[in-house]
Amino acid sequence: MRLILLSGGSGKRLWPLSNGSRTKQFLKVLKNEQGERESMVQRIWRQLASVGMMDHAYIATCSAQVDLIRNHLGGGVPIIVEPERRDTFAAIALASVYLYSEVGVPPDETVCVLPVDPFVETTFFEKVKGLEAALERTGAQLALIGSKPTYPSEKYGYILPDYEALSGHPEAFLIKGFVEKPPEKEAERLMGAGALWNCGVFGFKLGFLLNLLKERGYPDEYKELTARYSSLPKRSFDYEVVEKAGLMVSVVYENDWKDLGTWNTLTEEMEAPVLGKGIIDEDCLNTHVVNELDIPVAVLGLSNIVVACSSDGILVSDKAASQRIKDLLHTVEHSPMYGETRWGQYTILDFSRLEDGRETLVKKVEIQAGKNLDYGFHKSRNKCWIIQSGQGRAVLDGRIQEVKNGDCLLIPERTKHAVLAVSHLVLIEVQTGKDLMKEDSVLNLSDWIEIGKLGQSD
Amino acid sequence: MRLILLSGGSGKRLWPLSNGSRTKQFLKVLKNEQGERESMVQRIWRQLASVGMMDHAYIATCSAQVDLIRNHLGGGVPIIVEPERRDTFAAIALASVYLYSEVGVPPDETVCVLPVDPFVETTFFEKVKGLEAALERTGAQLALIGSKPTYPSEKYGYILPDYEALSGHPEAFLIKGFVEKPPEKEAERLMGAGALWNCGVFGFKLGFLLNLLKERGYPDEYKELTARYSSLPKRSFDYEVVEKAGLMVSVVYENDWKDLGTWNTLTEEMEAPVLGKGIIDEDCLNTHVVNELDIPVAVLGLSNIVVACSSDGILVSDKAASQRIKDLLHTVEHSPMYGETRWGQYTILDFSRLEDGRETLVKKVEIQAGKNLDYGFHKSRNKCWIIQSGQGRAVLDGRIQEVKNGDCLLIPERTKHAVLAVSHLVLIEVQTGKDLMKEDSVLNLSDWIEIGKLGQSD
């Protein structure tokens, strides 16, 4: 069995902590058994490892998330990169063809697709394993996981199982239909009739999907499909495959399954009411603070609220209303002030633009030990680096120098520059010039060896 | 008649906008008739000017507030500086002696003392003027202003007037007692009995206070009293004078009188619900955002709350609970991140300390046109200035250079430096060294002429 984990998301519902570059699965608001903070993607990867499934898992995502995934899971994690965002059908098709033509997975092997961010007990993955037996015993084209609803949610999709149709298979039930996000009354009726929450997990034989692509005239070779990626329909797997499939069965998962996609559901899983600097007065019940800023938050006399702060903004919301942030954001002018990258992370401390267009940008840049900024130059901006902590090896137009706390480097425009973090390196970068929020780096790929040598020179 | 305006305060109840250096009277959250933002101290000064009393007003304050007062009211405002904070009796005694021995005010002139931050109609100052007549007609030692209560407040002091005792003086009533901060029931009873809120305004003949000081063995000469200031009792004027005085009368003020000392009362006087970057969803009623940060605040599903943000911290509070912030603050670790000075203002963008004590401090510094930083050097810190906007004239060890957007100046330790803002100048300052939160400047007063010349050299 192979697993495909889909990592996507727009990053709006958990604003201001999530943004275009850091979607919800990368927020480190959970805790592992050792009490260390972990993200949803780290949690699922840890869970897969604990049930021996990690070695058969692949992550399908877009190029914007590749650095983040490697930061969270390490450099060795296998990633299948979508050439562009084209919804789940295209992503699953590309990943399937990759498994077949690049990894050599045979057509009769089971493939299970799951979101990268469900909040579940580890027993959930035993159910994922069980999809293989369900497919083989029932001969179904697709096997899904349905979770026993705990309340009549209006936000989930429902699977309607026929508990009688397949009496010979006690753990897998025929699916007779689906209902998407019903109103509460209808959801109550569905619950009473034994309907299940659709967990978004799809099990199938690799050959099933390869045949489906073949019928539609798509290649089963990875590079060829990559080249034709933009011709794949931009639609969901549910629309393109599930709704048109033949026999489908569902396995039932009876423990906690949650989509931590809103502040309301996410804070329920937080161990402590305050993450970061903050204090909540005793008279506040069920109130949470998630604060990534370096200044304290004080909450007084307010229950059932969430306060979330990042360098992108500050959300203060009644928990039940927090899902509406997505709509409100259209009216908030904001650009992301925090980003995670291949080499670490940065926070924008200050940005100003004069009437004549000249700008100043102050960034705090953190580079992980052993990583380096790309070697290149800017066409029209000057930079100043002041080293805050850590040891580094900087190169300016080929000249290498060791840098440490207190050192100040001036980098005029068109000066090639990079820095390697010998230990975890933090620096303040002040840029001056025009269009500083846009990338104007010219990377010197021919000089890669030069910067590559930095890490090995002692 | 002379007015003494007392400017004090600890800056805790309006955290995070107020702090030790910027107390509530300096918060620019009100608006004047032209729609410009103004502070409480600017409002009262404008009101005094409108009734022709400004030229007879003096501000008594401590040295920490002198720069702020000059920034808000201009350089010409007469300030009487307390050598140290010693409560209101000492402050009023020093100001009175200053009026007598430095200004030459005769003992039979009326002096009125009032707080610098009451929120009142301009008619209030007509009542202040009326204190002179009240003193003269009744022969009272002290004349106070009592405001008609609008609700049974537990937070104010009450004046108990005898409306019958002085029937010949229709506008001034004998005071038969005081009640400080009564519980609500008692306050209701007092209201019913015609008690008035004590506005903290005291009118007296200058000679009355000079005699009182003389009886206690204190001098009536300003420099002498300044030298003996620390021997004055550290008690309130109420305790030392009002409670021991003979005949006292009260004038009644019938319009709005408010102490904008809590977020609850302050936001009532704000014209718009949002000051700064922010959005309040339609379902929020009577909710206010005061945001000095450069990132947006979004509020959803919460009524009757205040969200106040500054570089010192973020307050999220039910309005009725907001006065309790003073108590909660004891448990919040914070140091002021924003300050106003003689030359302008600064905000701390980032501060970090390594294990070995080495620190980095990033500040955004704004210098008003025509003002300059003091010329001096640091014993053990390096600085880097990057000019963000405006025109300046910098001097490093005597060398003068013009600076503008994008310029970067390196200032090693022991380098004498200053900058004059030719136009409003904003710069990013990055300091590296130890104990950066403490002042280690060595000012070169003998070089004052040098920096003084900067402003005149073209």
Side-chain angles (χ1 to χ4, degrees), chain B residues 386-424:
Chain B
I386 297 105
I387 309 299
Q388 198 171 70
S389 65
Q391 306 286 323
R393 199 163 295 143
V395 55
L396 298 191
D397 275 343
R399 277 175 298 107
I400 289 172
Q401 58 184 300
E402 305 295 314
V403 293
K404 59 172 198 313
N405 167 279
D407 288 345
C408 178
L409 278 74
L410 298 184
I411 307 162
E413 58 184 32
R414 302 207 159 265
T415 303
K416 285 183 286 180
H417 60 283
V419 65
L420 169 85
V422 176
S423 61
H424 187 87

Side-chain angles (χ1 to χ4, degrees), chain A residues 279 281 283 314 324 358 405, chain B residues 281 283 298 324 331 358 405:
Chain A
I279 181 155
D281 197 32
D283 65 352
I314 297 163
R324 296 208 319 269
R358 294 192 62 83
N405 166 276
Chain B
D281 197 31
D283 65 352
R324 295 208 321 271
T331 57
R358 292 192 64 84
N405 167 279

Side-chain angles (χ1 to χ4, degrees), chain B residues 100-114:
Chain B
Y100 176 66
S101 73
E102 297 286 311
V103 184
V105 176
D108 65 344
E109 190 159 328
T110 300
V111 173
C112 290
V113 177
L114 54 161

